[in-house]
């Protein structure tokens, strides 16, 4: 199940980013498909790198 970002859950942003990075090939495939009309949500490599850096920062501060 895809996690959501919930402001009252400390780890939800980490969980959401971790899921997106794990499923990057599927997300890239969906957003690059013209028929689905999701091209405006397609991330560039540098944007994925920012997501990975943020995930890694949040992981270091994650509450178990």
């Amino acid at each position: 199940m895809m996690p959501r970002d919930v402001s009252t859950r400390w780890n939800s942003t980490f969980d959401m980013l971790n899921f997106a990075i794990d499923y990057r090939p599927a997300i890239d495939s969906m957003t690059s498909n013209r028929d689905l009309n999701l091209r405006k949500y397609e991330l560039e490599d540098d944007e994925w790198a920012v997501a990975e850096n943020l995930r890694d920062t949040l992981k270091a501060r994650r509450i178990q």
Side-chain angles (χ1 to χ4, degrees):
M1 181 187 319
M2 185 174 165
R4 296 181 185 196
D5 192 17
V6 180
S7 61
T8 58
R9 272 194 65 219
W10 288 90
N11 297 332
S12 63
T13 302
F14 169 81
D15 293 337
M16 185 181 62
L17 286 168
N18 198 45
F19 177 90
I21 291 164
D22 286 347
Y23 285 87
R24 179 181 175 177
I27 293 169
D28 282 343
S29 176
M30 285 174 34
T31 56
S32 67
N33 185 337
R34 281 191 177 147
D35 295 334
L36 296 177
N37 203 23
L38 298 173
R39 299 289 305 250
K40 63 184 173 186
Y41 302 110
E42 192 171 18
L43 296 181
E44 301 292 331
D45 288 339
D46 59 329
E47 294 169 313
W48 280 110
V50 169
E52 290 174 5
N53 288 335
L54 178 56
R55 187 245 350 235
D56 294 345
T57 300
L58 292 173
K59 183 177 182 178
R61 300 178 187 276
R62 188 166 192 228
I63 299 171
Q64 298 297 331

